[in-house]
Amino acid sequence: MQVVILKDAAEVAAYGADIFTTQLKRKANSVLGLATGSTPVALYQELIKRNQANDISFAEVTSFNLDEYLGLDGSHPQSYRYFMQQQLFDHINIDKSNTHVPPGDAKNPITACGEYEARIKSAGGIDVQLLGIGRNGHIGFNEPSSGLTSRTRVKTLTKATIDDNARFFKADEYQPHLSITMGIGTILDAKKVVLLATGENKADAVVAMVEGPLTAACPASALQMHRDAVIVIDEAAASKLKDIEFYKHIENENQKLLDYLASL
Ligand SMILES: N[C@@H]1[C@@H](O)[C@H](O)[C@@H](COP(=O)(O)O)O[C@@H]1O
């Protein structure tokens, strides 16, 4: 696990955007795994800016989103498909037919999960998967107790997650309590994983993910098993980590090594 601690949310977004920029310049037809929630919004704004400045192109990109509410179709303002259109897809040169979000309105949600997995596989697998983290340590909608090798499936949301996400729904609006989410095993199959977390309310989840045991009680701890997982956090989200100075020291040493390699 690479732990990158930055000053604030703006630096976290810029760092995340740099990872995606590097990926797109290296491989124009990358397969990107995308996430919703408030955390990635600033990163998406940065990618939009870079796309509109012709620095990066999404013309050949295929994307797969982590999750969707079961029971909402893509035109529902609280659906994750709608969110992605508003926050990213409508503003970049991506071919919308190459963007995938689990179908919240699937007639048969069980077969839809298998089909989603098959689509990821036939696209060649995910090159870079973006993640946020829930306050209870969930990634995608893999709630605590999720199998660490799970695949895309229907998941019931915890009360904590429903309450956290209630802010997006109107008081009298139907809020789903079921989802379709990539599994932890699906996420771990991505070649690279980038998790962003900002703010003090993520500090407990971050310490459990980075310094806690590998456990289904904190689904994000499964990233300890990934060979290329980058955890990009601000000082507030990092505030409960025991080894902050060590992680910063590693980053300094990594930078020195990169500078040296660039000078060869
Ligand atoms: N399913 C999403 C997750 O993918 C996201 O990481 C989490 C945190 O969201 P936020 O970034 O708004 O804190 O919210 C939702 O539950």
Side-chain angles (χ1 to χ4, degrees), residues 76-238:
H76 191 290
Q78 305 312 333
S79 72
Y80 284 169
R81 160 58 75 180
Y82 190 89
F83 174 99
M84 290 308 300
Q85 303 283 139
Q86 298 287 310
Q87 299 296 336
L88 186 65
F89 300 152
D90 283 349
H91 313 287
I92 58 174
N93 68 333
I94 199 163
D95 177 347
K96 297 244 174 68
S97 66
N98 291 333
T99 66
H100 304 88
V101 179
D105 58 348
K107 195 167 172 211
N108 182 334
I110 305 299
T111 53
C113 293
E115 285 160 15
Y116 202 67
E117 285 280 336
R119 248 180 246 132
I120 295 173
K121 199 170 171 200
S122 72
I126 292 169
D127 290 306
V128 183
Q129 175 66 56
L130 180 63
L131 295 173
I133 186 169
R135 286 195 306 133
N136 62 3
H138 74 224
I139 46 177
F141 269 136
N142 292 284
E143 298 282 32
S145 81
S146 289
L148 298 180
T149 60
S150 51
R151 311 302 305 186
T152 302
R153 68 213 184 290
V154 174
K155 273 301 282 182
T156 305
L157 306 182
T158 59
K159 180 162 182 325
T161 296
I162 292 171
D163 290 349
D164 277 350
N165 290 340
R167 67 187 193 278
F168 298 111
F169 292 82
K170 291 190 206 93
D172 56 349
E173 198 172 17
Y174 167 68
Q175 186 183 351
H177 57 269
L178 294 177
S179 66
I180 294 182
T181 181
M182 282 186 199
I184 296 177
T186 320
I187 292 167
L188 292 178
D189 280 351
K191 294 175 190 82
K192 186 181 187 81
V193 174
V194 182
L195 184 145
L196 309 185
T198 57
E200 213 183 323
N201 68 339
K202 297 293 171 70
D204 286 319
V206 165
V207 76
M209 162 177 65
V210 176
E211 294 178 341
L214 171 64
T215 168
C218 175
S221 68
L223 300 181
Q224 294 173 15
M225 296 290 289
H226 196 280
R227 63 178 71 178
D228 189 4
V230 190
I231 310 300
V232 191
I233 54 182
D234 67 359
E235 296 277 358

Side-chain angles (χ1 to χ4, degrees), residues 25-43:
K25 289 190 174 178
R26 203 166 51 78
K27 186 181 173 198
N29 62 347
S30 289
V31 180
L32 303 182
L34 301 176
T36 53
S38 44
T39 311
V41 170
L43 179 151

